[in-house]
Amino acid sequence: MNLYRIIRLALIAIVTWIILTMFMGCVVEIEQPAGADECENSLGNVACDFAMIDQNGKQVNLYDFHGKIIVLDFSAMWCGPCQFAALDVENTVDKYGSDDIVYITVLVEDSSGNPPDKKDLQKWADNFGIENNPVLAGSREWLSLSGYELTGWPTFYFITPTMVVKEYQRGYSKSNIDRAIEDLLAAR
């Protein structure tokens, strides 16, 4: 009889927990950096949050990486220098540590100049060995509304752990990217 009572109480507790979880949902709060309510995607300001789909079909928010140095790379699939930059994504993150930095590629155009789809994102990640960093689907329309300035391919923004846009670079130079990351690491 005692065993029956224990099993019954355990079942009630489990059912109650399941019901509460279903009604409450699983809410993940993204930590908002100071100044997020007055964001602006320009030097010296807190970067605005955005959400895009990555190469795995998962939604990724910029603020998911609050607390890390962010290398934000705007590229196009047809762009030769963008492809050279993509070859260094994983090596760059490995060099400085995935606990400290994340390298986010936003593909703005596919090989034909159209907005990329998930298949394009997967192809980009596979072709350049990008396994642990997001490749996101952007578009010229999104870019024009975002406030990020793009005057050449690729364009890089470097964002501090507190989400402040610290530096902007047009074109690909491994040494300039390393210097920008090292400056941000030294400022921590």
Side-chain angles (χ1 to χ4, degrees), residues 72-89:
L72 188 57
D73 167 8
F74 292 100
S75 285
M77 291 184 78
W78 50 261
C79 163
C82 300
Q83 295 170 16
F84 282 113
L87 287 169
D88 282 332
V89 170

Side-chain angles (χ1 to χ4, degrees), residues 41 72-76 78 82 106 108-109 139-140 143-144 146-157 168-171:
N41 295 327
L72 188 57
D73 167 8
F74 292 100
S75 285
W78 50 261
C82 300
V106 177
V108 179
E109 294 182 351
S139 67
R140 285 231 183 227
L143 195 59
S144 69
S146 73
Y148 286 107
E149 183 179 332
L150 183 74
T151 58
W153 298 100
T155 294
F156 298 90
Y157 282 82
Y168 161 90
Q169 290 181 18
R170 180 182 66 196

Side-chain angles (χ1 to χ4, degrees), residues 6-92:
I6 292 171
I7 293 173
R8 193 172 111 197
L9 287 174
L11 284 173
I12 291 171
I14 291 170
V15 169
T16 303
W17 179 79
I18 290 171
I19 291 170
L20 286 175
T21 302
M22 287 172 51
F23 285 115
M24 291 171 46
C26 295
V27 178
V28 176
E29 298 240 356
I30 298 172
E31 185 178 345
Q32 300 291 310
D37 54 337
E38 298 177 9
C39 67
E40 184 179 318
N41 295 327
S42 59
L43 294 178
N45 293 299
V46 173
C48 298
D49 195 17
F50 61 77
M52 292 181 184
I53 302 300
D54 73 2
Q55 70 269 33
N56 301 311
K58 178 183 157 202
Q59 179 176 305
V60 174
N61 291 64
L62 183 66
Y63 286 3
D64 290 343
F65 304 104
H66 181 242
K68 290 187 175 194
I69 292 168
I70 299 170
V71 178
L72 188 57
D73 167 8
F74 292 100
S75 285
M77 291 184 78
W78 50 261
C79 163
C82 300
Q83 295 170 16
F84 282 113
L87 287 169
D88 282 332
V89 170
E90 293 293 320
N91 290 334
T92 299

